[in-house]
Amino acid sequence: MPEVASGEDTVPRHWETRSVAELADARLGLQLTPARSTGGTPYVRAANIVGRVLDISDVNTMDVSASELSTYELKAGDVLVAEASGSAELVGRSAVWQGEVSPCVFQNTVIRVRSSVMEPNFLHMMLEHHRLQGRLADEARGIGIQHLGLRKLRNLEIPVPPPAEQVDIVENLHARLDHLAQARERLNAALVATGLQEDEVLQLALTGELLAGATKSPWRKTTFGKAGELRSGLARSPKNSSGDFMVPYLRVANVYESRIDFDDLRLINLPPDRREAFTLRPGDILLTQGQSPELLGRPALFEGYDGDISFQNHILRYRCSELLDPRFALLVLRHYFRNGVFRDLARGTTNIAHFTLPAFSALPISLPEKDLQRSIADEAHTQLSVLAEERLAVQQSLAGLPGLEKDLYAMAATGNLAEPNEVGGTAASLLQEQEAARQLEQQAQSTARKPVTSRRNSRNERNAGEEDKPLADRLVEVLAGARGGFTMVELLPRLGLDKNSVEDVESLYVAIRSQPAGSIQAGGATENAPIEARPDAPA
């Protein structure tokens, strides 16, 4: 299939490429103001666009006039684009409106894209492809909240296949995305099953049932307080942030369940007289504090480090006595952690929880002879290692799914998910029909505006030749006498332009850009941003 470059993509030669402005009516929605807050018309905001679908479980309302409703009411097939987000990667996320609520309008945090030549799901697919490739993030600007802007979206180039081919591509893409979703469900189910198997191993280790004959040996009941010593770590303070005895220390961010991450270590001053009390030894068990209750008590075994290393006060260190093997103790503590025992001991807020040393010390533990503890720990380690490998393989597969999804969108956007299909017309004929329809619409709009122009000029004969002047000249004249400028909506009719016409709006932007740099200031890309002359601008 012959191909041609389109922007950063290579598309089939029988496709056409146009900007969004040429293919669709793209506009920002209504601004929510205090005066509108008491109305009852539902509206879609950026927060309703979740992923690639719409979540209308929480739709707000605003006051909308009848004339505004005629312009801003959503129709089935409209593509809604989130104009802003706190994350640049999520700017431009979009969804297709299916007529879920009627009537319904859209806020100015959303751009509505309505096209008569693009199959809505294909247009949505192309916008998502650009977003996944990072092109919308590259265009986004702002501090804190990132904005795409209406003008940048209108300038975005979209490849246009023949109508029947658009449908084929969307159907093939959705079929493959469904398979990907099924794979994600199976992988998530496998992850849950692995976790349940780990829970079972820990439970059987706790009672000795994991090892044949272990339950026949005598077991003694005791508490963690009697079987070892619990200590809190060093508090970070200005006085120990520097000094002559700096050593690395572990904090909550380094301690995971049954794993310690030694990356990104920080230093603390630990004088010789405190080093013995706060230096970790192989066999020490670390438990996290100061987290949300469900993460409280996450345990890991310290097995050594190249040099001295300490621990912060948001970590508790448990050091086993001669009665208790550290690896066996870790199995019991992991079981307690997964079953919410530490969560039940939590004290403090819902975000930062702790448990007391006495509460931990009272936790029960049953102990066989130490050699049997080691044997149970060995068997548990073997089984848990196999499950850990399975978990890692599943997690890696899950991590690869977004990349596969991105590749599918790229294949769809470059014509690699369907054979050429020009049944019902080519892309060129489709666009020719659109252009013919647009010209007829412009003629109708021009005819409808003439009486208004005539009445205006009859009131002021000095402006009789105004319509013959270039738009750029008329723009300068209108703005010159306006203190504080006009919004785009206010300015368009003063220039004899239609605010509901994409062509007229684009003509206004062209006229603004044709002026000397700095002579006209546009406050933003929204319809409510002020546009004003700057007579003091340098020539």
Side-chain angles (χ1 to χ4, degrees), residues 296-350:
L296 189 62
R298 190 167 57 190
L301 180 66
F302 178 74
E303 298 181 277
Y305 181 75
D306 185 16
D308 289 342
I309 188 168
S310 188
F311 57 106
Q312 191 188 23
N313 62 332
H314 291 304
I315 292 176
L316 298 177
R317 181 196 67 196
Y318 183 72
R319 183 168 290 170
C320 299
S321 70
E322 289 299 319
L323 297 173
L324 183 56
D325 179 77
R327 294 165 67 227
F328 181 81
L330 178 66
L331 296 173
V332 178
L333 293 171
R334 287 185 68 183
H335 171 77
Y336 282 169
F337 170 67
R338 287 178 171 230
N339 282 272
V341 172
F342 298 120
R343 180 192 61 222
D344 294 340
L345 297 178
R347 299 178 61 183
T349 67
T350 56

Short mmCIF file of all heavy atoms in Angstrom, two decimals, residues 296-350:
data_model
loop_
_atom_site.label_atom_id
_atom_site.label_comp_id
_atom_site.label_asym_id
_atom_site.label_seq_id
_atom_site.Cartn_x
_atom_site.Cartn_y
_atom_site.Cartn_z
N LEU A 296 0.58 0.03 57.60
CA LEU A 296 1.26 0.04 58.90
C LEU A 296 1.85 -1.35 59.19
O LEU A 296 1.20 -2.37 59.00
CB LEU A 296 0.27 0.41 59.98
CG LEU A 296 0.81 0.69 61.39
CD1 LEU A 296 1.75 1.88 61.37
CD2 LEU A 296 -0.35 0.95 62.34
N GLY A 297 3.10 -1.35 59.66
CA GLY A 297 3.74 -2.61 60.06
C GLY A 297 4.29 -3.43 58.92
O GLY A 297 4.53 -4.63 59.07
N ARG A 298 4.52 -2.82 57.76
CA ARG A 298 5.09 -3.56 56.63
C ARG A 298 6.47 -4.08 57.03
O ARG A 298 7.37 -3.28 57.34
CB ARG A 298 5.17 -2.62 55.43
CG ARG A 298 5.51 -3.28 54.12
CD ARG A 298 5.24 -2.33 52.97
NE ARG A 298 5.99 -1.08 53.11
CZ ARG A 298 5.79 -0.02 52.34
NH1 ARG A 298 4.84 -0.03 51.43
NH2 ARG A 298 6.52 1.08 52.50
N PRO A 299 6.69 -5.41 57.03
CA PRO A 299 7.93 -5.95 57.59
C PRO A 299 8.95 -6.39 56.53
O PRO A 299 8.58 -6.81 55.43
CB PRO A 299 7.43 -7.17 58.36
CG PRO A 299 6.28 -7.67 57.54
CD PRO A 299 5.69 -6.47 56.83
N ALA A 300 10.21 -6.24 56.85
CA ALA A 300 11.29 -6.72 55.98
C ALA A 300 12.46 -7.15 56.85
O ALA A 300 12.67 -6.60 57.95
CB ALA A 300 11.72 -5.63 55.01
N LEU A 301 13.22 -8.12 56.37
CA LEU A 301 14.38 -8.65 57.10
C LEU A 301 15.64 -7.98 56.59
O LEU A 301 15.92 -7.97 55.38
CB LEU A 301 14.47 -10.16 56.91
CG LEU A 301 15.63 -10.87 57.61
CD1 LEU A 301 15.48 -10.78 59.13
CD2 LEU A 301 15.70 -12.33 57.17
N PHE A 302 16.42 -7.40 57.52
CA PHE A 302 17.72 -6.82 57.17
C PHE A 302 18.77 -7.93 57.17
O PHE A 302 18.98 -8.60 58.18
CB PHE A 302 18.10 -5.73 58.18
CG PHE A 302 19.44 -5.12 57.93
CD1 PHE A 302 19.64 -4.23 56.89
CD2 PHE A 302 20.54 -5.43 58.74
CE1 PHE A 302 20.88 -3.65 56.65
CE2 PHE A 302 21.79 -4.87 58.51
CZ PHE A 302 21.95 -3.98 57.47
N GLU A 303 19.40 -8.11 56.01
CA GLU A 303 20.38 -9.21 55.87
C GLU A 303 21.80 -8.71 55.69
O GLU A 303 22.71 -9.51 55.44
CB GLU A 303 19.97 -10.11 54.71
CG GLU A 303 18.62 -10.77 54.93
CD GLU A 303 18.22 -11.69 53.80
OE1 GLU A 303 17.70 -11.18 52.79
OE2 GLU A 303 18.44 -12.91 53.93
N GLY A 304 22.02 -7.41 55.83
CA GLY A 304 23.38 -6.89 55.76
C GLY A 304 23.52 -5.74 54.79
O GLY A 304 22.69 -5.52 53.90
N TYR A 305 24.61 -4.97 55.00
CA TYR A 305 24.91 -3.82 54.18
C TYR A 305 26.41 -3.59 54.25
O TYR A 305 27.07 -3.93 55.26
CB TYR A 305 24.15 -2.59 54.68
CG TYR A 305 24.37 -1.32 53.88
CD1 TYR A 305 23.78 -1.16 52.63
CD2 TYR A 305 25.18 -0.29 54.37
CE1 TYR A 305 23.98 0.00 51.89
CE2 TYR A 305 25.38 0.86 53.64
CZ TYR A 305 24.78 1.00 52.39
OH TYR A 305 24.98 2.15 51.66
N ASP A 306 26.98 -3.03 53.19
CA ASP A 306 28.42 -2.79 53.15
C ASP A 306 28.75 -1.55 53.97
O ASP A 306 28.78 -0.44 53.45
CB ASP A 306 28.87 -2.63 51.70
CG ASP A 306 30.40 -2.50 51.59
OD1 ASP A 306 31.08 -2.85 52.57
OD2 ASP A 306 30.88 -2.07 50.52
N GLY A 307 28.96 -1.75 55.27
CA GLY A 307 29.24 -0.65 56.18
C GLY A 307 28.11 -0.48 57.18
O GLY A 307 27.08 -1.16 57.13
N ASP A 308 28.29 0.45 58.11
CA ASP A 308 27.25 0.71 59.11
C ASP A 308 26.06 1.41 58.47
O ASP A 308 26.21 2.24 57.57
CB ASP A 308 27.82 1.60 60.23
CG ASP A 308 28.81 0.85 61.11
OD1 ASP A 308 28.80 -0.40 61.07
OD2 ASP A 308 29.59 1.51 61.82
N ILE A 309 24.87 1.08 58.97
CA ILE A 309 23.65 1.72 58.50
C ILE A 309 22.67 1.77 59.66
O ILE A 309 22.57 0.83 60.46
CB ILE A 309 23.06 0.99 57.28
CG1 ILE A 309 21.90 1.80 56.69
CG2 ILE A 309 22.62 -0.42 57.63
CD1 ILE A 309 21.45 1.29 55.33
N SER A 310 21.93 2.89 59.77
CA SER A 310 21.00 3.08 60.86
C SER A 310 19.56 3.12 60.33
O SER A 310 19.31 2.76 59.17
CB SER A 310 21.34 4.38 61.61
OG SER A 310 20.57 4.50 62.79
N PHE A 311 18.61 3.57 61.17
CA PHE A 311 17.20 3.59 60.76
C PHE A 311 16.50 4.76 61.44
O PHE A 311 16.81 5.16 62.56
CB PHE A 311 16.52 2.26 61.09
CG PHE A 311 16.57 1.86 62.54
CD1 PHE A 311 15.44 1.95 63.36
CD2 PHE A 311 17.75 1.39 63.12
CE1 PHE A 311 15.49 1.58 64.70
CE2 PHE A 311 17.80 1.03 64.46
CZ PHE A 311 16.68 1.12 65.26
N GLN A 312 15.51 5.30 60.74
CA GLN A 312 14.79 6.49 61.17
C GLN A 312 13.71 6.12 62.19
O GLN A 312 13.35 4.95 62.35
CB GLN A 312 14.14 7.16 59.95
CG GLN A 312 13.58 8.55 60.19
CD GLN A 312 12.80 9.07 58.98
OE1 GLN A 312 12.34 8.28 58.17
NE2 GLN A 312 12.66 10.37 58.87
N ASN A 313 13.18 7.14 62.88
CA ASN A 313 12.20 6.87 63.94
C ASN A 313 10.82 6.46 63.42
O ASN A 313 9.95 6.08 64.20
CB ASN A 313 12.05 8.09 64.86
CG ASN A 313 11.53 9.32 64.14
OD1 ASN A 313 11.75 9.49 62.95
ND2 ASN A 313 10.86 10.19 64.87
N HIS A 314 10.59 6.54 62.11
CA HIS A 314 9.35 6.01 61.55
C HIS A 314 9.48 4.54 61.20
O HIS A 314 8.59 3.97 60.57
CB HIS A 314 8.93 6.81 60.31
CG HIS A 314 8.48 8.21 60.63
ND1 HIS A 314 7.46 8.47 61.52
CD2 HIS A 314 8.93 9.42 60.19
CE1 HIS A 314 7.29 9.78 61.61
NE2 HIS A 314 8.16 10.37 60.81
N ILE A 315 10.58 3.95 61.64
CA ILE A 315 10.79 2.52 61.49
C ILE A 315 11.06 1.92 62.86
O ILE A 315 11.82 2.49 63.66
CB ILE A 315 11.98 2.22 60.54
CG1 ILE A 315 11.61 2.63 59.11
CG2 ILE A 315 12.36 0.75 60.58
CD1 ILE A 315 12.74 2.46 58.13
N LEU A 316 10.43 0.77 63.13
CA LEU A 316 10.71 0.02 64.35
C LEU A 316 11.63 -1.15 64.01
O LEU A 316 11.45 -1.82 62.99
CB LEU A 316 9.42 -0.51 64.97
CG LEU A 316 8.40 0.55 65.42
CD1 LEU A 316 7.14 -0.12 65.94
CD2 LEU A 316 9.00 1.46 66.49
N ARG A 317 12.62 -1.38 64.88
CA ARG A 317 13.52 -2.50 64.68
C ARG A 317 13.19 -3.58 65.71
O ARG A 317 13.17 -3.31 66.93
CB ARG A 317 14.97 -2.06 64.87
CG ARG A 317 15.98 -3.20 64.65
CD ARG A 317 17.33 -2.86 65.21
NE ARG A 317 17.29 -2.78 66.68
CZ ARG A 317 18.23 -2.22 67.43
NH1 ARG A 317 19.27 -1.65 66.86
NH2 ARG A 317 18.13 -2.20 68.75
N TYR A 318 12.93 -4.79 65.24
CA TYR A 318 12.70 -5.93 66.15
C TYR A 318 13.90 -6.85 66.05
O TYR A 318 14.26 -7.32 64.96
CB TYR A 318 11.42 -6.68 65.77
CG TYR A 318 11.12 -7.81 66.72
CD1 TYR A 318 10.67 -7.56 68.01
CD2 TYR A 318 11.29 -9.13 66.33
CE1 TYR A 318 10.41 -8.60 68.90
CE2 TYR A 318 11.01 -10.17 67.19
CZ TYR A 318 10.58 -9.90 68.48
OH TYR A 318 10.32 -10.93 69.36
N ARG A 319 14.52 -7.11 67.20
CA ARG A 319 15.70 -7.98 67.26
C ARG A 319 15.33 -9.23 68.06
O ARG A 319 14.95 -9.13 69.23
CB ARG A 319 16.88 -7.23 67.88
CG ARG A 319 18.16 -8.03 67.93
CD ARG A 319 19.34 -7.12 68.27
NE ARG A 319 19.67 -6.21 67.18
CZ ARG A 319 20.52 -5.18 67.30
NH1 ARG A 319 21.08 -4.92 68.46
NH2 ARG A 319 20.78 -4.40 66.26
N CYS A 320 15.39 -10.38 67.39
CA CYS A 320 14.96 -11.64 68.00
C CYS A 320 15.92 -12.09 69.11
O CYS A 320 17.15 -11.87 69.03
CB CYS A 320 14.88 -12.74 66.95
SG CYS A 320 13.70 -12.42 65.63
N SER A 321 15.35 -12.76 70.12
CA SER A 321 16.17 -13.41 71.15
C SER A 321 16.64 -14.76 70.61
O SER A 321 16.32 -15.15 69.48
CB SER A 321 15.33 -13.60 72.42
OG SER A 321 14.34 -14.60 72.19
N GLU A 322 17.36 -15.51 71.46
CA GLU A 322 17.85 -16.83 71.05
C GLU A 322 16.71 -17.82 70.82
O GLU A 322 16.89 -18.85 70.17
CB GLU A 322 18.81 -17.37 72.11
CG GLU A 322 20.14 -16.65 72.16
CD GLU A 322 20.90 -16.77 70.84
OE1 GLU A 322 20.90 -17.87 70.26
OE2 GLU A 322 21.47 -15.76 70.39
N LEU A 323 15.52 -17.52 71.34
CA LEU A 323 14.38 -18.43 71.18
C LEU A 323 13.81 -18.39 69.77
O LEU A 323 13.14 -19.34 69.35
CB LEU A 323 13.26 -18.06 72.16
CG LEU A 323 13.56 -18.17 73.65
CD1 LEU A 323 12.39 -17.60 74.44
CD2 LEU A 323 13.80 -19.63 74.01
N LEU A 324 14.04 -17.31 69.02
CA LEU A 324 13.29 -17.04 67.79
C LEU A 324 14.22 -16.86 66.59
O LEU A 324 15.14 -16.04 66.63
CB LEU A 324 12.43 -15.79 67.99
CG LEU A 324 11.51 -15.35 66.86
CD1 LEU A 324 10.56 -16.46 66.45
CD2 LEU A 324 10.73 -14.11 67.29
N ASP A 325 13.95 -17.63 65.54
CA ASP A 325 14.69 -17.46 64.28
C ASP A 325 14.10 -16.28 63.50
O ASP A 325 12.88 -16.21 63.30
CB ASP A 325 14.58 -18.74 63.43
CG ASP A 325 15.33 -18.59 62.11
OD1 ASP A 325 16.56 -18.68 62.12
OD2 ASP A 325 14.66 -18.34 61.08
N PRO A 326 14.94 -15.33 63.06
CA PRO A 326 14.42 -14.13 62.39
C PRO A 326 13.58 -14.43 61.16
O PRO A 326 12.57 -13.77 60.91
CB PRO A 326 15.67 -13.33 62.04
CG PRO A 326 16.70 -13.78 63.02
CD PRO A 326 16.40 -15.23 63.26
N ARG A 327 13.95 -15.44 60.38
CA ARG A 327 13.20 -15.74 59.15
C ARG A 327 11.83 -16.31 59.49
O ARG A 327 10.85 -16.06 58.78
CB ARG A 327 14.01 -16.70 58.28
CG ARG A 327 15.29 -16.05 57.74
CD ARG A 327 16.25 -17.08 57.19
NE ARG A 327 15.70 -17.70 55.99
CZ ARG A 327 15.69 -19.01 55.77
NH1 ARG A 327 16.18 -19.83 56.69
NH2 ARG A 327 15.21 -19.50 54.66
N PHE A 328 11.74 -17.09 60.56
CA PHE A 328 10.45 -17.60 61.00
C PHE A 328 9.59 -16.44 61.54
O PHE A 328 8.39 -16.35 61.26
CB PHE A 328 10.63 -18.67 62.08
CG PHE A 328 9.33 -19.26 62.56
CD1 PHE A 328 8.69 -20.26 61.85
CD2 PHE A 328 8.74 -18.81 63.74
CE1 PHE A 328 7.48 -20.79 62.29
CE2 PHE A 328 7.54 -19.34 64.19
CZ PHE A 328 6.90 -20.33 63.45
N ALA A 329 10.22 -15.56 62.32
CA ALA A 329 9.50 -14.40 62.86
C ALA A 329 8.95 -13.53 61.74
O ALA A 329 7.83 -13.02 61.82
CB ALA A 329 10.43 -13.58 63.76
N LEU A 330 9.72 -13.37 60.65
CA LEU A 330 9.27 -12.56 59.51
C LEU A 330 8.01 -13.15 58.88
O LEU A 330 7.09 -12.42 58.50
CB LEU A 330 10.38 -12.45 58.47
CG LEU A 330 10.01 -11.65 57.20
CD1 LEU A 330 9.78 -10.19 57.54
CD2 LEU A 330 11.10 -11.79 56.13
N LEU A 331 7.95 -14.50 58.81
CA LEU A 331 6.76 -15.15 58.25
C LEU A 331 5.52 -14.80 59.07
O LEU A 331 4.45 -14.49 58.52
CB LEU A 331 6.95 -16.66 58.20
CG LEU A 331 8.06 -17.19 57.28
CD1 LEU A 331 8.22 -18.69 57.47
CD2 LEU A 331 7.75 -16.87 55.82
N VAL A 332 5.66 -14.84 60.40
CA VAL A 332 4.52 -14.54 61.28
C VAL A 332 4.12 -13.07 61.12
O VAL A 332 2.92 -12.75 61.04
CB VAL A 332 4.87 -14.86 62.75
CG1 VAL A 332 3.70 -14.51 63.66
CG2 VAL A 332 5.25 -16.33 62.91
N LEU A 333 5.11 -12.19 61.05
CA LEU A 333 4.81 -10.76 60.93
C LEU A 333 4.20 -10.42 59.57
O LEU A 333 3.33 -9.55 59.48
CB LEU A 333 6.07 -9.93 61.17
CG LEU A 333 6.62 -10.00 62.61
CD1 LEU A 333 7.98 -9.32 62.71
CD2 LEU A 333 5.63 -9.35 63.58
N ARG A 334 4.63 -11.09 58.52
CA ARG A 334 4.01 -10.89 57.21
C ARG A 334 2.55 -11.33 57.24
O ARG A 334 1.68 -10.68 56.63
CB ARG A 334 4.77 -11.65 56.12
CG ARG A 334 6.13 -11.06 55.75
CD ARG A 334 6.75 -11.81 54.60
NE ARG A 334 6.01 -11.63 53.35
CZ ARG A 334 6.31 -12.23 52.20
NH1 ARG A 334 7.35 -13.08 52.15
NH2 ARG A 334 5.60 -12.02 51.12
N HIS A 335 2.28 -12.44 57.93
CA HIS A 335 0.91 -12.91 58.08
C HIS A 335 0.07 -11.87 58.82
O HIS A 335 -1.06 -11.55 58.40
CB HIS A 335 0.89 -14.24 58.83
CG HIS A 335 -0.49 -14.69 59.22
ND1 HIS A 335 -1.37 -15.25 58.32
CD2 HIS A 335 -1.14 -14.65 60.42
CE1 HIS A 335 -2.51 -15.53 58.95
NE2 HIS A 335 -2.39 -15.19 60.22
N TYR A 336 0.60 -11.31 59.90
CA TYR A 336 -0.12 -10.28 60.65
C TYR A 336 -0.37 -9.04 59.79
O TYR A 336 -1.46 -8.45 59.82
CB TYR A 336 0.67 -9.89 61.90
CG TYR A 336 0.57 -10.88 63.05
CD1 TYR A 336 1.41 -10.78 64.15
CD2 TYR A 336 -0.38 -11.89 63.05
CE1 TYR A 336 1.32 -11.66 65.22
CE2 TYR A 336 -0.48 -12.79 64.12
CZ TYR A 336 0.37 -12.67 65.19
OH TYR A 336 0.28 -13.55 66.24
N PHE A 337 0.65 -8.65 59.04
CA PHE A 337 0.53 -7.47 58.19
C PHE A 337 -0.57 -7.65 57.15
O PHE A 337 -1.43 -6.78 56.95
CB PHE A 337 1.87 -7.19 57.49
CG PHE A 337 1.81 -6.15 56.41
CD1 PHE A 337 1.55 -4.83 56.69
CD2 PHE A 337 2.00 -6.51 55.06
CE1 PHE A 337 1.48 -3.86 55.69
CE2 PHE A 337 1.94 -5.56 54.05
CZ PHE A 337 1.68 -4.24 54.37
N ARG A 338 -0.59 -8.79 56.47
CA ARG A 338 -1.57 -9.03 55.41
C ARG A 338 -2.98 -9.20 55.96
O ARG A 338 -3.95 -8.95 55.25
CB ARG A 338 -1.17 -10.28 54.61
CG ARG A 338 0.03 -10.04 53.69
CD ARG A 338 0.42 -11.30 52.96
NE ARG A 338 1.41 -11.00 51.94
CZ ARG A 338 1.33 -11.39 50.66
NH1 ARG A 338 0.28 -12.09 50.27
NH2 ARG A 338 2.26 -11.09 49.80
N ASN A 339 -3.10 -9.64 57.19
CA ASN A 339 -4.42 -9.87 57.76
C ASN A 339 -4.94 -8.68 58.57
O ASN A 339 -5.95 -8.81 59.27
CB ASN A 339 -4.40 -11.13 58.62
CG ASN A 339 -4.46 -12.39 57.78
OD1 ASN A 339 -5.53 -12.89 57.43
ND2 ASN A 339 -3.28 -12.90 57.42
N GLY A 340 -4.23 -7.55 58.52
CA GLY A 340 -4.74 -6.34 59.13
C GLY A 340 -4.55 -6.24 60.63
O GLY A 340 -5.19 -5.40 61.27
N VAL A 341 -3.68 -7.08 61.19
CA VAL A 341 -3.46 -7.02 62.63
C VAL A 341 -2.86 -5.68 63.04
O VAL A 341 -3.29 -5.06 64.02
CB VAL A 341 -2.55 -8.18 63.09
CG1 VAL A 341 -2.16 -8.02 64.56
CG2 VAL A 341 -3.25 -9.52 62.87
N PHE A 342 -1.88 -5.22 62.28
CA PHE A 342 -1.26 -3.91 62.60
C PHE A 342 -2.24 -2.77 62.34
O PHE A 342 -2.23 -1.78 63.07
CB PHE A 342 0.02 -3.72 61.79
CG PHE A 342 1.08 -4.74 62.09
CD1 PHE A 342 1.57 -5.58 61.11
CD2 PHE A 342 1.57 -4.89 63.38
CE1 PHE A 342 2.53 -6.52 61.39
CE2 PHE A 342 2.54 -5.83 63.68
CZ PHE A 342 3.02 -6.65 62.68
N ARG A 343 -3.05 -2.91 61.33
CA ARG A 343 -4.06 -1.89 61.06
C ARG A 343 -5.01 -1.75 62.25
O ARG A 343 -5.40 -0.64 62.62
CB ARG A 343 -4.85 -2.28 59.80
CG ARG A 343 -5.94 -1.29 59.40
CD ARG A 343 -6.85 -1.88 58.35
NE ARG A 343 -7.52 -3.08 58.85
CZ ARG A 343 -7.69 -4.20 58.16
NH1 ARG A 343 -7.22 -4.30 56.93
NH2 ARG A 343 -8.32 -5.24 58.70
N ASP A 344 -5.36 -2.88 62.85
CA ASP A 344 -6.26 -2.84 64.01
C ASP A 344 -5.59 -2.21 65.24
O ASP A 344 -6.28 -1.75 66.15
CB ASP A 344 -6.74 -4.25 64.35
CG ASP A 344 -7.62 -4.84 63.24
OD1 ASP A 344 -8.14 -4.05 62.43
OD2 ASP A 344 -7.75 -6.07 63.17
N LEU A 345 -4.27 -2.22 65.27
CA LEU A 345 -3.54 -1.60 66.39
C LEU A 345 -3.31 -0.11 66.17
O LEU A 345 -2.77 0.57 67.06
CB LEU A 345 -2.17 -2.27 66.57
CG LEU A 345 -2.14 -3.76 66.95
CD1 LEU A 345 -0.70 -4.23 67.03
CD2 LEU A 345 -2.85 -4.00 68.28
N ALA A 346 -3.72 0.40 65.01
CA ALA A 346 -3.36 1.76 64.61
C ALA A 346 -3.90 2.80 65.57
O ALA A 346 -5.03 2.72 66.04
CB ALA A 346 -3.86 2.04 63.19
N ARG A 347 -3.07 3.79 65.82
CA ARG A 347 -3.46 4.99 66.54
C ARG A 347 -3.03 6.18 65.71
O ARG A 347 -1.98 6.18 65.08
CB ARG A 347 -2.78 5.05 67.91
CG ARG A 347 -3.14 3.89 68.83
CD ARG A 347 -2.40 3.97 70.14
NE ARG A 347 -2.72 5.19 70.86
CZ ARG A 347 -2.17 5.54 72.02
NH1 ARG A 347 -1.25 4.76 72.58
NH2 ARG A 347 -2.52 6.66 72.63
N GLY A 348 -3.84 7.25 65.73
CA GLY A 348 -3.49 8.45 64.97
C GLY A 348 -4.52 8.73 63.91
O GLY A 348 -5.63 8.18 63.91
N THR A 349 -4.16 9.57 62.94
CA THR A 349 -5.10 9.99 61.89
C THR A 349 -5.22 8.89 60.84
O THR A 349 -4.48 7.91 60.85
CB THR A 349 -4.60 11.28 61.23
OG1 THR A 349 -3.39 11.00 60.51
CG2 THR A 349 -4.33 12.35 62.26
N THR A 350 -6.14 9.11 59.93
CA THR A 350 -6.33 8.13 58.87
C THR A 350 -5.17 8.12 57.88
O THR A 350 -5.00 7.16 57.15
CB THR A 350 -7.63 8.43 58.10
OG1 THR A 350 -7.57 9.78 57.62
CG2 THR A 350 -8.85 8.26 59.00
#
